[in-house]
Amino acid sequence: MISGSLMNATTIFYMLSTLAFFIYMAGRNKQIGLAGSTLAWTGFAIQTVALGLRWKESYDMGVGHAPMSNLYESVVFFAWSIVLIFGIIDAKYKYRVIGAFVMPFALLGMTWGQLYLPSDISPLMPALQSNWLTYHVISCFLGYAAFAVACGVSIMYLIKAKSEQKGDEAAGGILSVFPPTRVLDDLNYKAIMVGFPLLTLGIITGAAWANYAWGTYWSWDPKETWSLIVWFVYAAFLHARFTKGWVGKRAAWLSIIGFAATIFCYLGVNLLLSGLHSYGGM
Amino acid sequence: MTTEHRSVSDQVMQTFASLRLTMAVLILLALVSIIGTVIPQGQLPPEYVASIGGEQGNRFRLYGLLGFFDMYHAWWFQGLLVLLSINLLACTIKRLPHVWRIATRPDTTLSSAQEAAATCSVVLDLPESINRDRLTAAVTAVAGRPVVTEQDHELHLFVQKRPWARLAVYGVHASVILIFIGAIIGNIFGFKGFVAIPEGDTVSSFTDRKGQERPLGFELRCDQFTVSFYDAPGGGPSQMPKEFKSILTLTENGKEIPGYTHARLIVNEPLTYKGITFYQSSYGNTGNHTFTVGTTRLTVSSEETAHLPDGSSMHLIEAVQDVSPFLPGKSGPAARIDVHPANSGPAVTLLSLANYPEENKREAARLSLPIITYQGGTERPYTGLQVNKDPGVWVVWIGSLLMCIGLYVAFFLPHQRIWFRFGHARLVIAGHTTKSQAAFRQRLERIEQELKATLQQEEKP
């Protein structure tokens, strides 16, 4: 199918983009940084077409639904969301080097999806036949993507903060292309300010859907509980800014832990624990 | 009041309203919530109980004592949620009056303290001749209509945007409490239960979660239950279910209720009458089946376990009265059953055919069991419905809506204030914003440029 080939092309573009950002980080050549962003945007455009085609192909097969119904589709949509959020931040703030810490997440997702996951379009089981599926998945994954960007920025923050402490800032090297810690801290906060309301919306649409399908908006199923754990961690992050002793490195660590919990909520729960979201497994 | 002489209630308030408590409770909630995702909750599978050393083991008793098998309802978990609520309320009581004052009664004059706390400020030299009207007109044109105050021979002009956005964070905090209240209302005044209705039967009660029968207040008949399947790629039905559908008729005192005759109920499209909602949740077959085991005749109901004379037990997986569509060339009744040996070894699955005793004998020899022969049975499909009443759910949705709106306003709509103070040929412009400082600086720069252009030259005669 055409959409499958386009997804492969997308993976290659994300790979080239990641490479370009790595070279940019090492060599500080502005042209290469620009190339990294252009490649990411091109891959994003191709993937958008691929997602649209896959959506259409499902209707041609008579089992029409948004391409967000199984593990393959979700990981591909996750990659798309990460590049979207990164693209917006890149366009707005122009700190190209962030790409070296965010694009690998998108590349990882695409590679896993394309190489290891079954990509057949399958019909929806009765529990998934609902418009809530689309709203729920879109809000969750855009939120997750914002957390991925925040995590990448937090890793940069910790590296930069370490070098600033040692005082080898003037020495230049790779770290001189990093934005100052103040900017990284701010970007981290901004990304989570986008991700947190989206996660909240994702949990609420999930609860509304569960209430519609099963008659309970909350049943402490492992997936629900983990989404709430992620929510607690980022709620703590948002309050850390106003709390003495929690600013800076600790906040960056909270953001990284938050993303680790997000990934566990997304994958760990399906692959390691059992529960209502079992259809998300392989 | 000095710190040493602070009253006890003050100190308690200080503790409950502290952000450090918020951080501690949120992180603690995140950590302990993990327990219930790793340890099974509610009905424990016997394999799990065995894996932690059985019901007499220390681990089982310890977990039970700590409430780990129903941890989200354990006193200490609920206690943490109560602590979170108290923290939220205390923070609100402590901070809201101050924020309310900022939002409703702004400082319309620029004090030196305000100037120091400003996000950004600039000073313009202007001709001394500029009067109140001209300055007000110029500010109105670039920043909106100001509040004008004259104080100590100086002119103070004040404009602001979205003072109410300050309250958003308290809206978010209130929404958490509102969701808790909704959940409590649901727990006290609502119920959840289950009812299974064989096709053609009528029920007037359901079983709640405590196992008690409760009246519905009306009658519910299952006219039909069907499962449809997606088409397989090569044509014909596949194994993938497409729709579980019950056709239901509701009656009150035997009279059909308009709009509820032959009503369709499918997954994701519940049916509500008089505040009670029905959800399509399971299905199965119900009926009785006859087997001969060795020489004993045995009646087995569709979903129960039957005990065999030798101490083993059997469980019917599925039965058909005509096997030909599934086993071409064969005919007559057939049943697939699980047999659990008496010595609690692994269960075995076997197929028993009414018309082929030789095959049953072979199966028995293969599995070293007595010969089990299915004689046939009668079966009807039943539909399993979740029955639910939750008068608190609307409170939860209102809370959720409030949370989303509150988060959006708190994160993306800043409260912006700009002061202009004019005296002795100097105009001080100071601005303060709660969020998005870069965009606000740009706004202030634009205001500065435009005021320069309109005010810096002397008025032409």
Side-chain angles (χ1 to χ4, degrees):
Chain A
M1 265 179 283
I2 306 170
S3 68
S5 323
L6 289 181
M7 289 293 184
N8 279 330
T10 305
T11 314
I12 291 167
F13 271 95
Y14 289 171
M15 192 190 303
L16 294 175
S17 165
T18 307
L19 268 174
F21 282 127
F22 281 158
I23 296 170
Y24 169 64
M25 185 163 63
R28 279 166 287 161
N29 180 331
K30 283 224 165 88
Q31 297 299 318
I32 293 176
L34 181 68
S37 293
T38 313
L39 286 163
W41 276 113
T42 313
F44 179 79
I46 295 172
Q47 195 181 6
T48 309
V49 174
L51 284 169
L53 269 178
R54 191 179 166 92
W55 202 327
K56 187 188 164 289
E57 281 160 8
S58 79
Y59 274 92
D60 294 344
M61 288 169 65
V63 294
H65 57 79
M68 300 161 191
S69 70
N70 59 23
L71 190 58
Y72 168 78
E73 290 178 341
S74 73
V75 82
V76 164
F77 185 68
F78 190 19
W80 183 86
S81 309
I82 290 173
V83 181
L84 174 68
I85 302 270
F86 163 69
I88 292 170
I89 286 190
D90 185 49
K92 208 169 162 188
Y93 301 102
K94 305 231 162 32
Y95 290 113
R96 294 265 132 80
V97 65
I98 291 171
F101 287 82
V102 174
M103 285 308 290
F105 289 125
L107 176 62
L108 207 67
M110 286 309 290
T111 313
W112 188 40
Q114 292 305 107
L115 293 185
Y116 299 103
L117 296 177
S119 66
D120 318 282
I121 297 177
S122 46
L124 289 180
M125 56 189 276
L128 292 183
Q129 293 165 12
S130 167
N131 284 335
W132 287 109
L133 171 69
T134 314
Y135 309 140
H136 176 58
V137 173
I138 288 180
S139 45
C140 282
F141 279 93
L142 285 177
Y144 292 0
F147 296 151
V149 172
C151 175
V153 170
S154 293
I155 294 170
M156 293 174 76
Y157 177 94
L158 290 176
I159 297 171
K160 183 84 174 178
K162 204 171 174 191
S163 86
E164 275 181 7
Q165 245 170 17
K166 277 198 266 169
D168 51 7
E169 185 57 17
I174 286 177
L175 292 179
S176 62
V177 281
F178 278 36
T181 47
R182 179 184 51 77
V183 172
L184 289 170
D185 184 57
D186 193 48
L187 284 176
N188 188 15
Y189 185 58
K190 283 207 166 91
I192 289 171
M193 270 197 331
V194 171
F196 189 73
L198 285 167
L199 172 71
T200 307
L201 197 63
I203 293 175
I204 291 170
T205 48
W209 183 13
N211 190 56
Y212 216 64
W214 299 305
T216 19
Y217 53 83
W218 199 261
S219 52
W220 295 106
D221 150 86
K223 191 83 163 182
E224 290 172 347
T225 307
W226 270 97
S227 72
L228 191 65
I229 291 169
V230 172
W231 194 87
F232 283 140
V233 174
Y234 286 111
F237 173 90
L238 291 168
H239 289 89
R241 274 184 101 72
F242 312 108
T243 313
K244 236 187 257 158
W246 276 94
V247 191
K249 275 192 191 172
R250 271 202 194 181
W253 274 112
L254 265 183
S255 171
I256 293 169
I257 291 167
F259 187 60
T262 305
I263 289 300
F264 191 82
C265 177
Y266 168 38
L267 297 173
V269 171
N270 293 72
L271 303 178
L272 304 174
L273 309 172
S274 60
L276 295 173
H277 277 73
S278 47
Y279 41 75
M282 285 188 282
Chain B
M1 209 181 342
T2 64
T3 31
E4 284 122 274
H5 292 95
R6 260 197 334 208
S7 67
V8 177
S9 68
D10 245 30
Q11 284 182 30
V12 170
M13 183 69 192
Q14 209 69 38
T15 310
F16 279 130
S18 77
L19 271 163
R20 280 164 177 275
L21 181 69
T22 313
M23 294 297 290
V25 172
L26 286 174
I27 290 171
L28 215 55
L29 274 170
L31 285 175
V32 299
S33 294
I34 298 172
I35 298 170
T37 67
V38 183
I39 294 177
Q41 301 289 294
Q43 284 275 348
L44 298 177
E47 310 88 65
Y48 174 75
V49 177
S51 78
I52 59 165
E55 286 191 26
Q56 298 311 314
N58 287 334
R59 236 168 108 190
F60 184 89
R61 272 189 281 183
L62 179 71
Y63 285 5
L65 208 65
L66 293 172
F68 280 4
F69 300 129
D70 189 19
M71 69 144 277
Y72 302 108
H73 303 100
W75 62 268
W76 50 269
F77 187 79
Q78 305 257 313
L80 273 177
L81 293 179
V82 170
L83 194 56
L84 183 69
S85 311
I86 292 174
N87 185 221
L88 284 173
L89 286 173
C91 282
T92 307
I93 292 168
K94 189 178 157 195
R95 299 191 177 91
L96 185 58
H98 173 66
V99 173
W100 184 260
R101 202 192 63 80
I102 293 178
T104 54
R105 287 190 289 122
D107 294 326
T108 53
T109 57
L110 180 63
S111 63
S112 47
Q114 217 103 43
E115 203 178 333
T119 309
C120 45
S121 62
V122 284
V123 182
L124 290 185
D125 293 316
L126 294 181
E128 198 137 8
S129 63
I130 288 170
N131 62 11
R132 177 181 176 142
D133 288 344
R134 195 167 158 217
L135 186 63
T136 308
V139 167
T140 307
V142 293
R145 177 156 287 283
V147 179
V148 187
T149 321
E150 264 188 85
Q151 197 178 25
D152 304 332
H153 309 293
E154 284 183 316
L155 263 179
H156 294 262
L157 285 79
F158 172 75
V159 286
Q160 65 173 345
K161 261 188 185 173
R162 309 182 209 94
W164 44 266
R166 293 253 178 185
L167 303 172
V169 60
Y170 299 96
V172 175
H173 288 174
S175 74
V176 175
I177 309 265
L178 213 54
I179 290 169
F180 286 163
I181 291 173
I184 292 167
I185 292 174
N187 267 323
I188 297 175
F189 301 105
F191 52 72
K192 283 189 173 67
F194 179 82
V195 65
I197 321 170
E199 226 176 57
D201 279 15
T202 303
V203 296
S204 56
S205 64
F206 66 96
T207 316
D208 72 12
R209 285 213 167 153
K210 292 189 192 83
Q212 250 139 26
E213 282 287 303
R214 293 171 71 138
L216 284 167
F218 49 89
E219 303 92 44
L220 180 62
R221 185 178 72 225
C222 172
D223 299 317
Q224 195 191 34
F225 175 80
T226 49
V227 184
S228 60
F229 294 88
Y230 283 105
D231 291 336
S238 69
Q239 291 290 305
M240 178 99 184
K242 184 178 186 178
E243 187 180 71
F244 305 118
K245 182 170 71 182
S246 301
I247 302 294
L248 304 171
T249 296
L250 271 65
T251 55
E252 235 169 338
N253 306 315
K255 278 221 295 267
E256 288 184 354
I257 301 161
Y260 290 89
T261 37
H262 309 299
R264 189 178 82 130
L265 176 68
I266 63 171
V267 183
N268 274 313
E269 286 181 30
L271 185 74
T272 304
Y273 181 66
K274 285 200 167 168
I276 301 179
T277 308
F278 300 94
Y279 303 83
Q280 181 66 55
S281 87
S282 63
Y283 67 99
N285 285 315
T286 178
N288 286 318
H289 303 267
T290 313
F291 288 87
T292 47
V293 180
T295 51
T296 323
R297 256 179 99 80
L298 203 66
T299 304
V300 179
S301 71
S302 294
E303 296 204 315
E304 274 161 34
T305 300
H307 294 280
L308 302 183
D310 66 345
S312 59
S313 59
M314 63 172 273
H315 178 90
L316 182 73
I317 300 169
E318 58 179 338
V320 287
Q321 299 315 306
D322 177 24
V323 76
S324 56
F326 307 97
L327 277 180
K330 296 261 190 314
S331 64
R336 231 147 52 87
I337 55 175
D338 266 344
V339 178
H340 301 263
N343 59 14
S344 72
V348 292
T349 304
L350 63 93
L351 184 71
S352 174
L353 298 157
N355 299 346
Y356 304 91
E358 284 306 309
E359 300 225 355
N360 296 340
K361 207 187 256 175
R362 254 202 312 263
E363 281 283 274
R366 180 173 72 87
L367 302 164
S368 50
L369 289 170
I371 301 170
I372 302 175
T373 310
Y374 181 49
Q375 304 288 355
T378 52
E379 255 191 346
R380 276 189 300 166
Y382 73 84
T383 182
L385 309 179
Q386 169 88 21
V387 185
N388 184 9
K389 183 180 167 180
D390 190 348
V393 75
W394 287 107
V395 182
V396 172
W397 297 146
I398 290 168
S400 304
L401 189 69
L402 181 62
M403 186 180 282
C404 290
I405 295 171
L407 285 172
Y408 177 75
V409 174
F411 289 162
F412 300 109
L413 301 180
H415 175 208
Q416 299 179 338
R417 291 175 292 174
I418 306 173
W419 293 269
F420 304 84
R421 189 181 64 208
F422 184 57
H424 316 295
R426 281 166 47 120
L427 178 69
V428 178
I429 308 173
H432 186 273
T433 183
T434 48
K435 287 262 145 58
S436 319
Q437 303 196 346
F440 182 64
R441 282 208 177 86
Q442 281 176 7
R443 181 179 171 219
L444 220 62
E445 257 167 46
R446 211 171 43 241
I447 288 172
E448 182 198 340
Q449 295 306 323
E450 288 183 32
L451 283 182
K452 248 189 202 166
T454 49
L455 292 174
Q456 231 159 20
Q457 64 275 78
E458 290 281 345
E459 203 165 6
K460 291 179 185 84

